[in-house]
Amino acid sequence: MKNFPDGFYWGAATASYQVEGGIENNDWAQAAQAGRVPPCGPACEHNSRYEADFDLAKELGHTAHRFSIEWSRVEPTEGVFDPVAIAHYRRVLTALKARNIEPFVTIWHFTLPLWFAENGGFERSDAPEIFARYAAFVVEELGDLCAHFSTMNEPNVFGSNGWLRGSWPPFKRFAVTDLVSITNSGKTYESQADRGLRPLFTYFRVMKNLARAHNAAYEAIKKRAPQTEVSIVKHVIVFAANWNPFNKLKAAVANYIWTTIFMNRVKNHTDSIGLNYYFYTQFGDNRTWKKTDMDWNFAPEHIYDALMRLAKYQKPLFVSEAGLADHDDSDRAEYITKQIAGTWRAMQDGADVRGHLYWSLMDNYEWALGFEKQFGLIKINYQTQERSIRPSAYVYKEIIEHNGIVE
Ligand code: BGC
């Protein structure tokens, strides 16, 4: 039996733009209007169906749920906050509490209000102050209903897709990036990016500003609500190597660039760290990997390596996302079981993991890839908005009920 500690959080995650529907006032909606990414439209109508969706999460045994606040709803105009949007998120939090589901709130998950994006977004030198003002407002308004806040989701993915690959807003592509492929960027719309050498330098600036923004938000929140847990959600790619010393060097450099640089900038301003794990790649690897629907290596057990990498920062950790796209649900149960086994192993080796949130509770808008990729424990029929629970969700439920894996 692979047992987890009492009170370990089990659940799933979503993000505002990917599930809510009806969001028109952000950079992704604008990009969709311009034909640069697929339209998101009503998405899963989670904005009005959240109660029923949380009933399903409850039925599946979940004790925690991660979701994000849509910045463009809360601050639709610079410096003007919308009480109606806040009232909505208070109802969402209350609905979770009523079901005894512990909320984990991400303050910002990729999408930017138009006013901010159109004025340079995170390229701006005053972006950290603008972000910190928004983050502090959110915690001030919602902090009595939620104990765990993450400032931002996956800064490295946001930066690299926006300024290196140019496949996400603001579509700036570093010309040399044709050589590498990073995560869920999508291919269809890439050709419309502005190519050049300058995006590389802008990318460095953006990455620095994101770290500054996280740190400023951390301080602003702590000033008002010192007890609130504030974390960063970090996407970790595990770069590994075979025996070859040259490959080992390549892996060390890649890990340093993707994970260490950013973590070093924020490590003194975070109470805990959320891990988003999807990727394992080995330099000098001749194996033929089984692939997920995203064409990513099927390597759930290597969540172990990602957790051990973050354990170095000696903070409580939680799996804020991990999962796979699997349209016919043929591999999801195995994947979930193995990623939980990998998490358990990391805990035996000292990683202080407090929870596991599968990505995602339901199918949703997979960014530049639209609605085709299906990550959900719950399947969505986008024509009828009908929900159906996939068989793998019950395998996860059994693990939750045993608080571990029965062998
Ligand atoms: C993101 C999610 C995304 C998932 C699957 C993560 O990079 O936080 O928004 O849907 O991966 O690609």
Side-chain angles (χ1 to χ4, degrees):
M1 174 88 188
K2 293 187 169 74
N3 255 120
F4 284 75
D6 284 347
F8 190 83
Y9 292 118
W10 296 105
T14 63
S16 57
Y17 192 64
Q18 294 179 272
V19 296
E20 282 186 7
I23 299 168
E24 294 299 335
N25 196 19
N26 72 20
D27 54 345
W28 275 81
Q30 187 187 49
Q33 271 161 27
R36 302 181 96 167
V37 295
C40 186
C44 313
E45 293 183 359
H46 181 65
N47 199 45
S48 56
R49 296 174 183 265
Y50 63 89
E51 296 256 9
D53 290 336
F54 295 161
D55 282 343
L56 295 178
K58 185 76 196 164
E59 189 183 323
L60 292 172
H62 296 194
T63 60
H65 179 70
R66 173 176 175 242
F67 71 97
S68 78
I69 306 295
E70 176 60 30
W71 187 355
S72 68
R73 284 197 200 275
V74 170
E75 193 179 357
T77 311
E78 176 158 17
V80 181
F81 295 98
D82 183 358
V84 176
I86 284 295
H88 167 77
Y89 289 118
R90 288 190 66 81
R91 284 194 298 275
V92 172
L93 286 165
T94 307
L96 287 169
K97 293 247 160 199
R99 290 162 180 79
N100 248 323
I101 299 178
E102 182 80 5
F104 286 72
V105 165
T106 307
I107 295 172
W108 167 58
H109 194 124
F110 294 154
T111 47
L112 302 180
L114 265 188
W115 59 264
F116 183 52
E118 281 173 345
N119 290 306
F122 281 99
E123 294 181 15
R124 290 168 63 142
S125 58
D126 61 352
E129 291 76 52
I130 292 172
F131 180 69
R133 178 182 61 192
Y134 159 65
F137 178 80
V138 168
V139 176
E140 213 153 74
E141 297 291 318
L142 305 179
D144 58 324
L145 295 172
C146 177
H148 320 273
F149 286 91
S150 306
T151 56
M152 58 179 70
N153 182 68
E154 300 186 348
N156 294 76
V157 172
F158 173 80
S160 57
N161 284 342
W163 285 266
L164 295 180
R165 285 187 72 79
S167 49
W168 287 12
F171 304 102
K172 299 186 181 174
R173 185 174 176 91
F174 175 46
V176 183
T177 327
D178 300 312
L179 303 175
V180 288
S181 159
I182 309 167
T183 75
N184 50 333
S185 56
K187 295 215 158 39
T188 332
Y189 299 89
E190 278 176 7
S191 54
Q192 291 186 49
D194 299 329
R195 292 173 117 80
L197 296 180
R198 187 181 291 177
L200 179 67
F201 301 99
T202 319
Y203 166 78
F204 290 139
R205 189 163 83 237
V206 168
M207 291 313 300
K208 229 185 215 163
N209 283 345
L210 288 167
R212 289 175 53 224
H214 165 82
N215 292 344
Y218 181 87
E219 278 172 12
I221 294 168
K222 287 288 170 175
K223 217 190 261 170
R224 292 169 176 80
Q227 307 308 327
T228 303
E229 178 191 331
V230 183
S231 61
I232 181 81
V233 169
K234 181 74 183 78
H235 181 278
V236 174
I237 299 178
V238 177
F239 292 101
N242 66 352
W243 57 269
N244 183 327
F246 180 62
N247 287 332
K248 284 195 191 304
L249 180 68
K250 277 207 303 208
V253 171
N255 284 318
Y256 181 78
I257 292 174
W258 188 257
T259 295
T260 313
I261 294 178
F262 192 87
M263 285 311 299
N264 279 347
R265 287 177 172 155
V266 301
K267 66 181 177 195
N268 296 327
H269 289 81
T270 194
D271 302 327
S272 57
I273 305 169
L275 164 70
N276 286 6
Y277 169 75
Y278 294 96
F279 258 70
Y280 173 84
T281 179
Q282 201 184 88
F283 293 107
D285 187 359
N286 296 322
R287 276 172 290 179
T288 323
W289 283 90
K290 177 170 157 180
K291 301 282 186 181
T292 71
D293 288 355
M294 295 289 278
D295 212 27
W296 297 343
N297 290 347
F298 188 95
E301 63 281 5
H302 285 287
I303 196 172
Y304 170 87
D305 308 67
L307 285 167
M308 293 315 286
R309 184 159 291 283
L310 292 182
K312 286 194 286 209
Y313 299 98
Q314 301 195 320
K315 310 269 180 179
L317 305 174
F318 60 106
V319 177
S320 35
E321 282 181 36
L324 82 168
D326 178 21
H327 68 282
D328 59 4
D329 205 40
S330 53
D331 292 321
R332 188 172 282 105
E334 179 191 347
Y335 195 96
I336 291 177
T337 308
K338 287 190 170 159
Q339 83 185 18
I340 293 172
T343 302
W344 182 84
R345 195 157 75 84
M347 292 167 77
Q348 307 316 299
D349 289 347
D352 178 11
V353 187
R354 306 286 177 90
H356 173 272
L357 302 161
Y358 175 81
W359 182 269
S360 176
L361 178 62
M362 60 192 118
D363 294 342
N364 58 52
Y365 178 76
E366 180 52 26
W367 305 111
L369 298 174
F371 287 101
E372 189 201 311
K373 306 293 176 195
Q374 297 167 33
F375 281 84
L377 294 171
I378 299 168
K379 184 178 173 59
I380 303 280
N381 175 333
Y382 293 103
Q383 264 73 53
T384 60
Q385 287 295 338
E386 192 194 334
R387 274 75 170 138
S388 35
I389 295 177
R390 292 198 162 102
S392 58
Y394 291 107
V395 174
Y396 186 31
K397 179 180 183 179
E398 211 177 303
I399 294 174
I400 298 173
E401 279 173 356
H402 288 104
N403 201 29
I405 302 172
V406 183
E407 283 150 323

